Amino acid sequence: MIDNNIRDIVKTFKAYVPGKSKEEIARNYGINPNDIIKLGSNENPWGCSPKIKDEILKEIPKIHQYPEPINPTLMEELSKFTGAPMENIIVGGDGADEVIDATMRILIDKDDEVIIPIPTFTQYRISALIYGAKIKYAKFDKENDFKLDVDSVLNNITNKTKIIFLCSPNNPTGNIIDKKNIEKIINSTDALVVIDHAYIEYSKKEYDLTDWALKYDNVLVLRTFSKVFGLAGQRIGYGITNKKLVDYMMRVKPIFSLTRLSQICAITALRDKEFFNKSKNDGIRSREILYEGLKKFKELKVYPSEANYILVEVKNGMSSGEFCEELLKRGVIIRDCKSFEGLDGEYVRIAIGTFKEDRRFLEILKDIVE
Ligand SMILES: *Cc1c(COP(=O)(O)O)cnc(C)c1O
């Protein structure tokens, strides 16, 4: 039986359950898809740069030809955008997820250790397990507004530690990790410290540690086009780290994963400063509107956020599942956080919408909470 040959670790995996789509909710609840508000997946509610459509059409006649594995125009634009030299940047064609995977491919032998403070982005764990890594959990401390418990990281470092994931702003809690603590961790180990900055554009400038990827030789900073650039569906992410690591990762990542269309999308997005600035500023404004609106409900504990989503603890007697279900019936999709390891309470994550969606969502919420 072929099944006997399947790796044990693979057999323990369950199929990934993605966030609910508008189409699914429309079908199940008999709601017009245009009336559905999707605040579940931290996407950009304003979409992507309007210039992208024409640029894609221009590229289509070339899609029978393989893409260049490294597109010099894209590298130049990314270099300008991040301030890092091109040789220090690696772009992934399955988003930042591909860069996470590449770090595992070059660093993890069976039984090597990966430190993950939880609750956090689940992709780190999934990716690490595939490569046979042992996961050592550290924690974002629930009793202390989910601040990183830096000792829980430091105490887990051994000579088998290969990668430490630090998500800042952290998904799903929304808070940043203190600079001093990140520095302490970097200086305590030779392991690769991955600083995940997927949401950094929504944070205060002083929290942006992208240049640390050049300052230390064991730091990789992750960034993405999925959030502020509104290109989640096109799957483009990148990492900034020392040249040697970029070189190794380029040897093992899927060669042509960054498609011609993805390259065009990324270049156009980087050149459209107007859309970028508006997307960032309106995103922050939307978060503020939601934060102020949510705080008015005394049955909700609302956590401050430096990202494009807000963590909320539901205290009106409903489980997080029931709370999400009530919203679904009314056409609003948010994220139930019970699947995040390290979050056993009643937590939900609410992403920014357009200003109109924010207002409607807050109205609908009155129905449920009050
Ligand atoms: C969305 C997200 C990413 C980026 O994912 P992509 O694969 O680029 O879409 C990375 N890290 C965190 C914490 C995220 O939430």
Side-chain angles (χ1 to χ4, degrees):
M1 254 298 274
I2 189 69
D3 198 50
N4 295 335
N5 292 345
I6 303 294
R7 296 168 59 208
D8 288 340
I9 188 71
V10 175
K11 287 186 177 170
T12 68
F13 278 53
K14 296 196 187 78
Y16 180 74
V17 184
K20 295 195 165 50
S21 69
K22 287 194 181 186
E23 291 78 9
E24 185 185 347
I25 300 311
R27 271 197 311 274
N28 293 355
Y29 294 87
I31 304 170
N32 180 338
N34 297 324
D35 290 337
I36 291 174
I37 302 177
K38 190 177 181 208
L39 311 177
S41 301
N42 300 347
E43 294 152 342
N44 188 331
W46 294 283
C48 67
S49 159
K51 302 206 164 112
I52 283 176
K53 189 173 165 192
D54 281 347
E55 296 303 319
I56 285 183
L57 290 176
K58 280 191 230 162
E59 187 70 10
I60 285 191
K62 296 189 210 154
I63 60 171
H64 62 291
Q65 300 168 6
Y66 284 99
E68 285 184 278
I70 295 178
N71 178 314
T73 312
L74 173 56
M75 298 315 283
E76 206 174 295
E77 291 293 340
L78 263 180
S79 176
K80 275 193 262 173
F81 178 66
T82 59
M86 296 188 230
E87 305 79 51
N88 295 82
I89 305 174
I90 178 168
V91 189
D94 181 25
D97 292 356
E98 185 173 299
V99 182
I100 295 170
D101 187 82
T103 65
M104 303 288 171
R105 290 188 184 198
I106 64 166
L107 290 167
I108 300 297
D109 280 319
K110 195 169 163 3
D111 295 330
D112 282 342
E113 294 171 0
V114 169
I115 300 177
I116 304 177
I118 53 172
T120 197
F121 191 46
T122 44
Q123 194 61 36
Y124 313 140
R125 183 181 104 247
I126 295 169
S127 192
L129 287 176
I130 294 171
Y131 293 94
K134 267 204 192 110
I135 313 251
K136 295 285 202 78
Y137 290 113
K139 69 172 177 183
F140 288 96
D141 191 359
K142 191 158 47 176
E143 311 307 323
N144 193 9
D145 289 330
F146 291 107
K147 284 204 179 66
L148 179 72
D149 177 343
V150 67
D151 289 331
S152 74
V153 176
L154 296 174
N155 294 338
N156 268 310
I157 295 175
T158 71
N159 56 9
K160 292 214 162 227
T161 309
K162 290 290 179 73
I163 310 178
I164 301 171
F165 284 99
L166 299 177
C167 190
S168 181
N170 185 42
N171 181 3
T173 55
N175 59 323
I176 58 110
I177 303 174
D178 198 71
K179 255 186 190 184
K180 285 213 180 69
N181 284 335
I182 297 182
E183 200 162 29
K184 220 189 233 174
I185 293 166
I186 295 169
N187 288 325
S188 305
T189 179
D190 289 330
L192 181 67
V193 177
V194 176
I195 302 175
D196 189 340
H197 268 355
Y199 300 96
I200 198 63
E201 290 87 353
Y202 297 103
S203 308
K204 290 192 197 74
K205 232 188 151 83
E206 71 250 39
Y207 300 144
D208 185 344
L209 305 179
T210 302
D211 58 346
W212 287 19
L214 308 172
K215 183 171 156 196
Y216 299 96
D217 73 356
N218 63 332
V219 170
L220 182 143
V221 171
L222 273 181
R223 309 270 303 255
T224 182
F225 285 84
S226 294
K227 311 290 155 56
V228 77
F229 287 108
L231 286 166
Q234 198 59 37
R235 314 297 309 121
I236 318 159
Y238 56 103
I240 301 163
T241 186
N242 76 63
K243 285 189 242 187
K244 265 222 171 89
L245 284 183
V246 170
D247 182 52
Y248 285 124
M249 286 193 282
M250 285 306 292
R251 300 183 202 182
V252 299
K253 84 178 254 313
I255 304 163
F256 296 122
S257 61
L258 191 70
T259 66
R260 280 183 175 272
L261 298 188
S262 291
Q263 294 177 5
I264 288 299
C265 287
I267 292 167
T268 311
L270 288 166
R271 287 179 172 167
D272 190 348
K273 297 287 178 243
E274 190 187 329
F275 179 84
F276 172 79
N277 286 324
K278 188 160 168 40
S279 170
K280 179 173 98 166
N281 294 332
D282 286 355
I284 292 169
R285 180 85 198 105
S286 173
R287 178 184 73 211
E288 284 165 354
I289 291 170
L290 279 180
Y291 183 75
E292 293 308 322
L294 286 165
K295 275 220 310 201
K296 294 196 177 116
F297 297 95
K298 64 177 188 316
E299 300 86 351
L300 302 177
K301 176 164 182 188
V302 188
Y303 288 85
S305 169
E306 291 285 333
N308 69 349
Y309 52 83
I310 294 175
L311 183 74
V312 172
E313 187 178 0
V314 180
K315 300 178 141 214
N316 69 338
M318 284 181 184
S319 71
S320 59
E322 288 164 346
F323 187 80
C324 292
E325 178 67 23
E326 286 305 315
L327 281 167
L328 280 180
K329 284 186 202 158
R330 293 162 176 84
V332 181
I333 307 171
I334 63 167
R335 176 68 193 255
D336 182 352
C337 289
K338 76 168 176 272
S339 61
F340 280 91
E341 256 181 290
L343 270 192
D344 44 5
E346 304 307 344
Y347 294 89
V348 298
R349 191 191 67 197
I350 300 160
I352 58 168
T354 61
F355 302 133
K356 200 172 139 202
E357 288 173 330
D358 295 343
R359 281 194 300 272
R360 247 194 75 208
F361 162 69
L362 290 168
E363 273 307 308
I364 291 171
L365 203 53
K366 278 189 196 162
D367 252 18
I368 296 169
V369 179
E370 287 178 348

